[in-house]
Amino acid sequence: MTDSKYFTTTKKGEIFELKAELNSDKKEKKKEAVKKVIASMTVGKDVSALFPDVVNCMQTDNLELKKLVYLYLMNYAKSQPDMAIMAVNTFVKDCEDPNPLIRALAVRTMGCIRVDKITEYLCEPLRKCLKDEDPYVRKTAAVCVAKLHDINAQLVEDQGFLDTLKDLISDSNPMIAESHPSSNLLDLNPQSINKLLTALNECTEWGQIFILDCLANYTPKDDREAQSICERVTPRLSHANSAVVLSAVKVLMKFMEMLSKDLDYYGTLLKKLAPPLVTLLSAEPELQYVALRNINLIVQKRPEVLKHEMKVFFVKYNDPIYLEKLDIMIRLASQANIAQVLAELKEYATEVDVDFVRKAVRAIGRCAIKVEQSAERCVSTLLDLIQTKVNYVVQEAIVVIKDIFRKYPNKYESVIATLCENLDSLDEPEARAAMIWIVGEYAERIDNADELLESFLEGFHDESAQVQLQLLTAIVKLFLKKPTETQELVQQDSDNPDLRDRGYIYWRLLSTDPVAAKEVVLAEKPLISEETDLIEPTLLDELICCIGTLASVYHKPPSAFVEGGRGVVHKSLPPRTASSESTESPETAPAGAPPGEQLDTVPTQGDLLGDLLNLDLGPPVSGPPLATSAVQMGAVDLLGGGLDSLIGAPSFVAPPAAAVPANLGAPMGSGLSDLFDLTSGVGTLSGSYVAPKAVWLPAMKAKGLEISGTFTRQAGSISMDLQLTNKALQVMTDFAIQFNRNSFGLAPAAPLQVHAPLSPTQTVEISLPLSTAGTTWGPPCFQVAVKNNIDVFYFSTLYPLHILFVEDGKMDRQMFLATWKDIPNENEAQFQIRDCPLNAGRAPEPCACPCCPVPCPQP
Amino acid sequence: MIGGLFIYNHKGEVLISRVYRDDIGRNAVDAFRVNVIHARQQVRSPVTNIARTSFFHVKRSNIWLAAVTKQNVNAAMVFEFLYKMCDVMAAYFGKISEENIKNNFVLIYELLDEILDFGYPQNSETGALKTFITQQGIKSQHQTKEEQSQITSQVTGQIGWRREGIKYRRNELFLDVLESVNLLMSPQGQVLSAHVSGRVVMKSYLSGMPECKFGMNDKIVIEKQGKGTADETSKSGKQSIAIDDCTFHQCVRLSKFDSERSISFIPPDGEFELMRYRTTKDIILPFRVIPLVREVGRTKLEVKVVIKSNFKPSLLAQKIEVRIPTPLNTSGVQVICMKGKAKYKASENAIVWKIKRMAGMKESQISAEIELLPTNDKKKWARPPISMNFEVRQRRGLEQCVLGKTLEILPVNLCTYHLADDETETPERSDFNSQTHFFPCRLPPRN
């Protein structure tokens, strides 16, 4: 039989034809017609008009036809709830059919018809099916409870289905006992855990996954219980199904946390973990990808697991590019194996795929930073690569050499000459900026530093902001080092606020106190850390609890990509129990860098080979510096040289516009006041819509500090209204706040003022004025760090766009049209938004760029 | 859990679309097409997040299978499920192609209804499914009550992969050991890393519910036995091997393996992959491949490859195939080989050298002159490794292979296997086949 013909009916009037066929007397014809309907449905045609006719076909003893009709019902019942009722009778009848397959089919389908009215009728048959004599029907009914719970949780409880489910766990038939999805609804206690563990040996591979995932949510009461669970879970590591293996690894990784490290069993367990993880690498490429993302987490949490397995992460010729073996190679690199790693990386750097080669070159740089003993070899390898004169290799190599200079200052300057030879071939901003930084930093050792910089200056306007900023700093450095030879400062005007600001700061510094300028600009820079790319420990712990799941693939907490609160339970590793009075495990030690240190930046984006150093300047922070792990994405400027040190000096707080000397150069001055206009605003409107306060940081996550808040705009100034509640038992003091760089450069305009210590159960309301003077950068999310005497907490939220709109943005119609036309056509992107629920207030309205105060990121 | 499952053809047209959860709408179907199938830049990751919806995809020939979810699902499970789905479809109608999918769309919907309920994977063993999802949907009416309850108890039962009451006149068992020796060798001939990954594929045609046991000369087992009967191990004189890791089909009782290292199971009927194993220690390389590449001017390349068999002269390797990659701008090739036949296959960019059989400790070589078209180096040649494929087939009568009798398999590593059936008749014939893929080395760099 060839059913493909059903896909090709495209003629007009087919609905009527189908209708006729559906009502035909001949069984065969009816079946044909239903098939056609299903085919049209698949392709996306709307065949809901045929609802009554299709439902009429339901009363049949042909199982195939019945299944098709049910399929149709599941798709369209929601759009035709009234007519769906017509089907109920058949369902109820089918639930009593002598054939267990039909009973199961009926109860399964009923659960999928998510119409309230139907659910009422569902309860009775469901109850019967849960006690059916046939295991297959019972199993299907158990899943149906889960479906029902999804539609109407209250109903499930009222009807006592949960109790029936609990009985099912001890069902004689393992398939049902396999806890099933429904067990997510049940509380876990040691007895039910025991039953689940027994069922683990007997159920299907999928059931094993559910059970293991379920176990991972359980917290054993002591280390003994943890160990006994681990013992019963370990055999699963030899399962052919990778998901079973990964879920078992998850349970073990989590429960290991509770075991004492001195225990023999702990060591055995560690040894048992490695081989299955390595075996996962011979699975199909998609699974390898999932496995590698997870291994990346595991080696961060417990590097000892795979420390001897470096070789298996060598990249094979036919590996798909999305496999991230390089990252793991770097993580496992140590003094013992660095020679091998470098030889491999050098080999990769001569491969064909450009992206891959770049990654390999970066990896060499990271090796140098990670393993100090290897730095020299890395540098010589990089020099070899530069000699190949392959353009992108050279550029990438220069970027990483700059990083190496940062880590080991005054050690490898001999290579500068070689670098300078390649000056002309650099065309990527990052490489140019890196080169300029090197020239500026070592100006005194490069004879023709001024000429080199001048050559860059010629095309100043065409450079990207990154290069411009770097060039500015480099020139200042050069000036300070060799005042005699220095030419005039950059007198270029620019519409980039960062660049202007930095120019001003230097200008003022130089004109008021050259000595101070020297101290600031040429200050000794902190060394870059070895592991700038580690995932932040609390996030890592959460991700470890999510091994195997999407969260572990994205390296993001589930809340970042799952909608709504459902299913987003924050997971954390269990604390080590008292019996194992271990010292803090070393990997959790660097939880938060001491305040004021600018190093501990933690990009969560997973692009581990990404920028070690970002050349952008961090925003000038007024107020006490915070632990900079606040900046979770992207690196803080480690390089800019200038402002880093300023941040530490509270005496230098970027003053408001008034402080700017009046006799500034005209172009610059007007530019500046423009800038400040944006924030001071002229608007007289008395504020706009204010969203109700939402809980941003639940007390659970922040050791008792609950923060809720909202954003307001009043009379042209933006503020963040916060409500801090102390739900802990101790007094909280020393509050401070810090934002990550965000799309519109929102930054606190004043420090967070909490006047009195916040005693337990007390709540304070604070309005924190904001400005848009920060660096504009990054994704539209808004990440905030709040510090108090207890710890630093992070949360992220979204600010409504309207708070950024200036009140005087009203534009003449003609002018708007003219401005619109001025935007080149190629910048225009068109798309249709479908099924978009218009949610007043929250949904950002499509904003026409001319009236927006800050340049919008292009969609 | 899985919110929906879509199947597309290479143009991005939907062939199958089944939605399991309310949070997945019809627009998800289009989102995947636009952002992945028709994406301007090739999508490199198999997991894509589009507007808070995650898409998992696998490709089989030019068919895309995509699973969609909005929740934090078990990603490994989703991929395992997609592979399983492919296996099940292949078992029902052969190759996964657009034509076959369209022809069987009703069947596929039936399968999807059964193996995925509310997004939770259910029993997906083909053996069980075939008992009640048949291509003749009417069958169910003719089933007796007993038959029906037998089906349901099998689908939910402990042994979901085998139905009861199978009867064969001849009980047969075939065993294939497929190994690939993965070897990374530097152009200088130094072994960078080597491992053997092996698969034991079993074809069982046995009656009833046979209880099978499979053994291997695993170091741990032999050491354990050695404690009891030291002379026995020395008598057999077999080398034990250290298996780094192995994984098993779900029919194998894992807890028993964990405690006793014994592999016991009731096999599914027909062909299945019993186990996979991996070893890295003491790998004997069955062949040595020595390539020599010389560049003669800009338009000519001379390649010489010597292969040396490195095993006992009494053994015979068969169907040897050596694949020597050639540059993309090859215009013509002349080959001379001492043994076998060699041919340049332009479509595969390789010289394929086939030798019917070769005994141990022998040597053979091929030399080729490759003419190149002058090019402007736009597309550099990726220099893929030379690869090699061969098999060693041993056919033995049953009496030879029952209990402890050792079989020597090239080049590794699994030496013993026993078949012990408790109640059922003994198999009459078993067939042993070992196939080895061998990826020896990277080509030396061109100057």
Side-chain angles (χ1 to χ4, degrees):
Chain A
M1 65 176 190
T2 55
D3 283 352
S4 55
K5 61 173 184 274
Y6 300 118
F7 281 88
T8 51
T9 50
T10 47
K11 53 183 186 282
K12 274 188 185 167
E14 65 168 317
I15 296 273
F16 292 101
E17 242 169 72
L18 281 174
K19 208 178 182 86
E21 282 177 42
L22 283 171
N23 291 319
S24 146
D25 295 332
K26 286 194 189 123
K27 268 189 181 171
E28 267 313 298
K29 205 152 196 186
K30 251 187 191 175
K31 200 164 118 189
E32 296 278 290
V34 176
K35 279 187 183 177
K36 275 184 208 162
V37 172
I38 300 290
S40 312
M41 191 173 86
T42 303
V43 188
K45 272 185 227 158
D46 184 16
V47 281
S48 59
L50 295 167
F51 200 89
D53 309 281
V54 177
V55 172
N56 271 340
C57 303
M58 200 169 161
Q59 298 266 16
T60 172
D61 45 5
N62 183 323
L63 197 56
E64 190 185 5
L65 181 57
K66 200 179 250 324
K67 281 181 180 171
L68 289 176
V69 176
Y70 282 177
L71 184 64
Y72 179 90
L73 264 176
M74 284 185 258
N75 257 307
Y76 286 115
K78 217 153 186 195
S79 57
Q80 311 245 356
D82 295 329
M83 283 204 259
I85 301 289
M86 293 174 15
V88 168
N89 219 355
T90 323
F91 279 126
V92 175
K93 215 176 107 206
D94 279 355
C95 284
E96 284 165 11
D97 195 276
N99 187 338
L101 291 172
I102 293 191
R103 289 202 297 274
L105 181 66
V107 79
R108 182 166 63 214
T109 315
M110 264 181 108
C112 296
I113 298 179
R114 304 157 71 81
V115 175
D116 283 344
K117 282 180 194 155
I118 290 212
T119 25
E120 290 166 25
Y121 293 99
L122 177 63
C123 293
E124 252 343 281
L126 179 59
R127 197 187 314 281
K128 231 180 257 167
C129 287
L130 277 169
K131 298 200 170 113
D132 200 283
E133 53 170 20
D134 194 284
Y136 181 69
V137 181
R138 288 202 299 272
K139 175 212 93 170
T140 314
V143 183
C144 191
V145 175
K147 294 178 190 168
L148 195 60
H149 188 270
D150 199 48
I151 310 172
N152 190 341
Q154 193 56 44
L155 188 69
V156 172
E157 273 170 45
D158 293 348
Q159 298 277 335
F161 283 134
L162 286 185
D163 298 327
T164 327
L165 264 192
K166 274 180 199 147
D167 298 342
L168 279 183
I169 287 199
S170 39
D171 196 284
S172 54
N173 191 306
M175 182 75 161
I176 301 161
E178 75 186 22
S179 85
H180 246 301
S182 343
S183 63
N184 291 341
L185 310 174
L186 304 176
D187 303 332
L188 295 173
N189 55 42
Q191 285 82 35
S192 60
I193 289 290
N194 210 6
K195 277 175 192 155
L196 288 180
L197 285 168
T198 317
L200 196 55
N201 290 325
E202 290 167 350
C203 62
T204 66
E205 43 192 335
W206 313 115
Q208 297 183 17
I209 300 170
F210 299 136
I211 293 182
L212 290 167
D213 285 351
C214 192
L215 283 176
N217 290 332
Y218 173 72
T219 311
K221 57 182 188 308
D222 56 25
D223 53 343
R224 209 170 310 142
E225 192 185 0
Q227 179 172 347
S228 85
I229 295 178
C230 286
E231 276 164 6
R232 295 177 69 175
V233 165
T234 5
R236 297 299 122 193
L237 293 175
S238 316
H239 202 284
N241 188 315
S242 313
V244 176
V245 177
L246 269 178
S247 292
V249 169
K250 165 164 58 188
V251 175
L252 297 177
M253 283 291 286
K254 187 178 173 189
F255 290 3
M256 257 168 108
E257 197 71 7
M258 296 183 69
L259 301 175
S260 153
K261 286 197 168 178
D262 319 323
L263 227 59
D264 285 347
Y265 183 68
Y266 181 87
T268 334
L269 210 51
L270 268 188
K271 267 188 217 129
K272 279 191 173 167
L273 274 177
L277 287 174
V278 176
T279 299
L280 289 177
L281 297 182
S282 30
E284 290 84 346
E286 291 88 2
L287 272 174
Q288 273 188 60
Y289 170 74
V290 175
L292 282 166
R293 294 292 287 178
N294 280 293
I295 289 172
N296 202 331
L297 296 173
I298 293 168
V299 293
Q300 285 185 54
K301 183 74 191 165
R302 298 191 184 281
E304 62 272 30
V305 174
L306 288 166
K307 65 179 174 210
H308 299 301
E309 304 288 350
M310 165 65 87
K311 282 182 174 179
V312 299
F313 297 103
F314 284 179
V315 181
K316 280 191 248 161
Y317 162 72
N318 47 358
D319 278 345
I321 182 90
Y322 55 75
L323 298 184
E324 296 164 350
K325 291 185 176 174
L326 282 184
D327 279 348
I328 297 167
M329 277 171 72
I330 305 286
R331 293 215 192 286
L332 295 175
S334 66
Q335 203 182 338
N337 55 23
I338 194 74
Q340 272 183 333
V341 175
L342 269 183
E344 272 300 295
L345 290 175
K346 197 176 171 187
E347 185 77 27
Y348 303 158
T350 59
E351 287 284 338
V352 181
D353 189 295
V354 177
D355 283 354
F356 182 64
V357 171
R358 285 175 182 273
K359 281 187 177 178
V361 176
R362 293 226 164 185
I364 296 176
R366 284 177 57 197
C367 276
I369 290 162
K370 184 163 186 227
V371 186
E372 187 164 354
Q373 294 83 353
S374 74
E376 194 149 354
R377 275 158 99 171
C378 296
V379 171
S380 73
T381 309
L382 287 170
L383 281 181
D384 287 352
L385 290 173
I386 290 178
Q387 299 302 349
T388 62
K389 303 274 177 202
V390 179
N391 189 284
Y392 54 86
V393 176
V394 173
Q395 308 211 32
E396 210 63 48
I398 286 183
V399 174
V400 298
I401 285 183
K402 173 208 68 190
D403 293 348
I404 296 175
F405 282 172
R406 287 278 292 153
K407 170 79 181 174
Y408 311 106
N410 303 320
K411 218 171 158 190
Y412 299 108
E413 281 68 43
S414 49
V415 308
I416 292 177
T418 324
L419 303 185
C420 291
E421 287 165 20
N422 292 289
L423 217 54
D424 301 331
S425 60
L426 307 181
D427 52 11
E428 290 163 25
E430 208 185 346
R432 287 176 81 87
M435 191 64 219
I436 294 170
W437 181 84
I438 294 172
V439 173
E441 190 66 22
Y442 296 98
E444 68 274 24
R445 310 194 191 188
I446 306 171
D447 298 334
N448 57 344
D450 49 341
E451 286 165 35
L452 291 178
L453 290 179
E454 209 153 357
S455 69
F456 282 107
L457 258 183
E458 279 162 22
F460 188 78
H461 278 290
D462 305 328
E463 299 283 6
S464 72
Q466 190 185 17
V467 181
Q468 291 177 336
L469 281 168
Q470 209 41 252
L471 197 50
L472 177 65
T473 307
I475 290 174
V476 175
K477 284 182 190 164
L478 180 67
F479 171 75
L480 291 168
K481 287 179 175 171
K482 303 180 180 175
T484 45
E485 309 167 21
T486 299
Q487 62 289 73
E488 73 289 2
L489 278 184
V490 235
Q491 283 291 346
Q492 319 270 4
D493 56 326
S494 159
D495 47 8
N496 180 326
D498 286 344
L499 190 61
R500 265 195 325 243
D501 281 1
R502 199 192 284 194
Y504 276 128
I505 289 163
Y506 287 148
W507 184 83
R508 264 183 259 133
L509 266 175
L510 291 173
S511 55
T512 51
D513 189 354
V515 182
K518 201 159 191 165
E519 273 168 22
V520 168
V521 178
L522 301 180
E524 207 157 291
K525 281 155 287 291
L527 298 181
I528 53 176
S529 74
E530 291 169 18
E531 290 292 341
T532 33
D533 46 38
L534 283 181
I535 294 178
E536 191 231 337
T538 47
L539 178 63
L540 181 61
D541 285 353
E542 190 180 347
L543 292 179
I544 288 288
C545 297
C546 297
I547 284 178
T549 66
L550 263 179
S552 71
V553 174
Y554 294 144
H555 288 187
K556 282 180 193 163
S559 53
F561 58 90
V562 175
E563 259 164 29
R566 230 164 51 87
V568 190
V569 184
H570 254 277
K571 294 177 180 171
S572 58
L573 290 176
R576 203 151 287 186
T577 43
S579 62
S580 57
E581 23 151 23
S582 68
T583 48
E584 270 282 49
S585 54
E587 55 283 7
T588 54
E597 196 183 313
Q598 290 285 329
L599 282 181
D600 177 47
T601 56
V602 191
T604 43
Q605 286 189 308
D607 180 11
L608 301 162
L609 289 169
D611 313 2
L612 212 49
L613 297 173
N614 190 323
L615 287 165
D616 268 1
L617 246 196
V621 183
S622 46
L626 282 175
T628 46
S629 33
V631 189
Q632 287 206 353
M633 297 173 121
V636 170
D637 169 33
L638 295 168
L639 257 197
L643 282 189
D644 282 353
S645 358
L646 289 180
I647 294 170
S651 62
F652 191 90
V653 175
V660 179
N663 57 349
L664 276 174
M668 285 175 149
S670 64
L672 190 74
S673 56
D674 272 356
L675 182 72
F676 279 91
D677 268 354
L678 296 179
T679 46
S680 57
V682 239
T684 46
L685 291 172
S686 58
S688 47
Y689 167 75
V690 178
K693 283 200 173 85
V695 176
W696 285 339
L697 184 71
M700 266 169 67
K701 276 173 66 183
K703 304 194 179 156
L705 175 65
E706 185 177 277
I707 301 180
S708 51
T710 184
F711 295 92
T712 55
R713 182 182 183 96
Q714 272 196 332
S717 57
I718 308 169
S719 59
M720 181 163 147
D721 290 347
L722 290 168
Q723 181 177 327
L724 308 179
T725 311
N726 183 351
K727 294 196 173 172
L729 295 174
Q730 57 181 349
V731 177
M732 295 179 179
T733 53
D734 303 327
F735 284 92
I737 195 162
Q738 169 78 291
F739 300 165
N740 192 3
R741 285 181 294 166
N742 50 74
S743 323
F744 291 101
L746 273 191
L752 184 64
Q753 300 279 349
V754 181
H755 293 293
L758 196 58
S759 47
T761 71
Q762 198 189 345
T763 300
V764 284
E765 302 251 5
I766 305 154
S767 178
L768 180 72
L770 305 181
S771 70
T772 48
T775 315
T776 58
W777 176 86
C781 62
F782 183 59
Q783 296 166 317
V784 182
V786 170
K787 194 186 76 161
N788 62 13
N789 56 331
I790 299 168
D791 205 340
V792 185
F793 311 108
Y794 311 102
F795 62 90
S796 69
T797 176
L798 287 169
Y799 45 82
L801 264 190
H802 71 260
I803 62 159
L804 299 160
F805 295 161
V806 287
E807 284 80 351
D808 60 345
K810 199 174 172 190
M811 215 178 208
D812 187 341
R813 184 185 143 84
Q814 295 302 325
M815 200 175 144
F816 176 82
L817 288 174
T819 321
W820 180 266
K821 275 185 193 143
D822 281 347
I823 302 171
N825 273 342
E826 58 268 24
N827 285 1
E828 189 172 318
Q830 285 193 341
F831 52 91
Q832 277 193 322
I833 303 170
R834 270 190 221 126
D835 303 331
C836 170
L838 285 173
N839 199 346
R842 290 302 287 183
E845 286 160 25
C847 107
C849 286
C851 60
C852 190
V854 199
C856 270
Q858 283 295 323
Chain B
M1 285 304 119
I2 299 176
L5 202 138
F6 309 127
I7 302 181
Y8 301 85
N9 65 7
H10 65 288
K11 283 184 263 175
E13 292 163 357
V14 210
L15 303 177
I16 297 286
S17 111
R18 176 76 159 89
V19 172
Y20 294 94
R21 299 263 175 149
D22 276 353
D23 52 6
I24 303 299
R26 182 81 204 175
N27 49 1
V29 181
D30 302 324
F32 183 76
R33 176 185 27 244
V34 173
N35 291 294
V36 179
I37 302 182
H38 293 165
R40 240 175 268 146
Q41 273 191 320
Q42 198 200 341
V43 173
R44 285 181 149 177
S45 145
V47 185
T48 331
N49 193 326
I50 306 162
R52 288 187 158 238
T53 310
S54 300
F55 294 82
F56 301 76
H57 71 264
V58 298
K59 246 186 122 178
R60 288 286 182 270
S61 60
N62 51 16
I63 296 294
W64 298 75
L65 278 91
V68 194
T69 184
K70 285 207 167 181
Q71 290 169 322
N72 182 27
V73 295
N74 189 323
M77 183 191 78
V78 177
F79 281 122
E80 283 284 1
F81 177 79
L82 288 175
Y83 299 143
K84 196 78 189 193
M85 176 77 206
C86 293
D87 291 349
V88 170
M89 288 198 292
Y92 267 96
F93 52 77
K95 194 171 170 280
I96 296 175
S97 65
E98 181 174 351
E99 194 54 33
N100 277 345
I101 287 176
K102 279 185 172 175
N103 278 337
N104 293 286
F105 80 98
V106 176
L107 170 76
I108 295 175
Y109 275 126
E110 242 184 280
L111 286 171
L112 281 177
D113 196 41
E114 187 57 45
I115 59 180
L116 210 52
D117 191 0
F118 198 43
Y120 297 107
Q122 306 291 309
N123 190 345
S124 45
E125 285 299 319
T126 329
L129 288 173
K130 278 194 169 170
T131 57
F132 67 105
I133 296 186
T134 52
Q135 272 161 308
Q136 295 84 40
I138 323 101
K139 197 182 160 193
S140 57
Q141 285 136 50
H142 310 304
Q143 286 165 342
T144 61
K145 209 168 173 211
E146 290 79 65
E147 273 172 341
Q148 285 167 0
S149 73
Q150 197 195 326
I151 290 171
T152 56
S153 73
Q154 196 214 328
V155 176
T156 54
Q158 238 182 71
I159 303 159
W161 52 86
R162 189 182 180 92
R163 66 191 162 89
E164 285 194 47
I166 299 174
K167 244 192 152 52
Y168 284 101
R169 208 163 52 80
R170 275 158 68 95
N171 282 300
E172 289 181 311
L173 192 69
F174 299 89
L175 209 56
D176 284 347
V177 180
L178 304 154
E179 285 190 332
S180 26
V181 180
N182 288 290
L183 180 67
L184 211 56
M185 203 188 264
S186 72
Q188 291 76 35
Q190 186 194 357
V191 176
L192 295 173
S193 79
H195 76 265
V196 173
S197 55
R199 296 160 57 214
V200 178
V201 177
M202 196 175 243
K203 279 179 220 158
S204 79
Y205 305 102
L206 303 172
S207 309
M209 283 290 182
E211 186 67 42
C212 295
K213 231 173 128 186
F214 182 89
M216 47 188 179
N217 55 339
D218 177 1
K219 207 169 202 162
I220 299 173
V221 177
I222 291 190
E223 273 164 14
K224 216 186 246 174
Q225 288 169 347
K227 276 175 204 152
T229 51
D231 50 319
E232 200 180 299
T233 34
S234 59
K235 200 165 61 192
S236 67
K238 271 297 140 221
Q239 252 195 337
S240 60
I241 43 148
I243 287 191
D244 287 28
D245 189 36
C246 40
T247 57
F248 298 99
H249 185 267
Q250 61 164 323
C251 65
V252 176
R253 295 183 188 91
L254 293 179
S255 41
K256 211 158 175 187
F257 176 74
D258 193 55
S259 54
E260 303 164 25
R261 293 293 274 195
S262 78
I263 306 166
S264 65
F265 56 97
I266 296 172
D269 196 40
E271 184 172 332
F272 71 104
E273 188 181 290
L274 177 66
M275 70 178 282
R276 285 180 186 219
Y277 58 90
R278 187 169 54 78
T279 86
T280 47
K281 306 220 171 55
D282 311 318
I283 291 172
I284 314 149
L285 299 176
F287 281 95
R288 259 190 97 71
V289 179
I290 306 146
L292 287 164
V293 181
R294 202 162 68 92
E295 229 164 336
V296 189
R298 281 183 59 88
T299 55
K300 207 166 149 194
L301 211 61
E302 280 182 8
V303 182
K304 195 168 116 180
V305 178
V306 181
I307 56 170
K308 287 181 183 165
S309 57
N310 198 19
F311 45 86
K312 278 191 208 156
S314 60
L315 285 166
L316 208 61
Q318 294 177 316
K319 294 188 187 165
I320 302 160
E321 189 184 290
V322 183
R323 197 165 269 269
I324 304 160
T326 55
L328 302 172
N329 55 340
T330 304
S331 60
V333 176
Q334 273 110 47
V335 262
I336 310 159
C337 55
M338 287 161 38
K339 230 181 154 194
K341 278 180 194 159
K343 224 184 204 170
Y344 166 62
K345 293 198 171 160
S347 58
E348 295 163 43
N349 275 316
I351 300 169
V352 181
W353 177 24
K354 286 181 177 165
I355 306 172
K356 272 198 185 133
R357 55 183 76 84
M358 187 168 174
M361 306 315 267
K362 289 265 169 28
E363 183 177 318
S364 187
Q365 73 167 24
I366 182 172
S367 44
E369 274 183 23
I370 302 172
E371 308 269 346
L372 301 175
L373 291 169
T375 54
N376 47 349
D377 259 3
K378 261 271 165 68
K379 237 186 172 178
K380 257 175 84 183
W381 182 40
R383 286 186 292 118
I386 298 176
S387 66
M388 183 170 182
N389 222 321
F390 60 90
E391 60 180 61
V392 175
R393 191 170 269 275
Q394 291 169 336
R395 194 169 276 239
R396 304 233 169 160
L398 177 80
E399 61 287 355
Q400 279 175 293
C401 64
V402 185
L403 283 170
K405 193 86 180 174
T406 55
L407 282 175
E408 195 136 324
I409 312 162
L410 253 187
V412 209
N413 283 330
L414 285 179
C415 301
T416 51
Y417 79 99
H418 1 247
L419 287 165
D421 356 27
D422 295 340
E423 281 122 56
T424 52
E425 306 143 75
T426 49
E428 283 160 22
R429 195 164 70 88
S430 66
D431 187 47
F432 209 91
N433 177 12
S434 155
Q435 217 180 48
T436 307
H437 306 273
F438 183 50
F439 299 102
C441 61
R442 297 177 180 158
L443 279 181
R446 297 167 64 202
N447 306 317

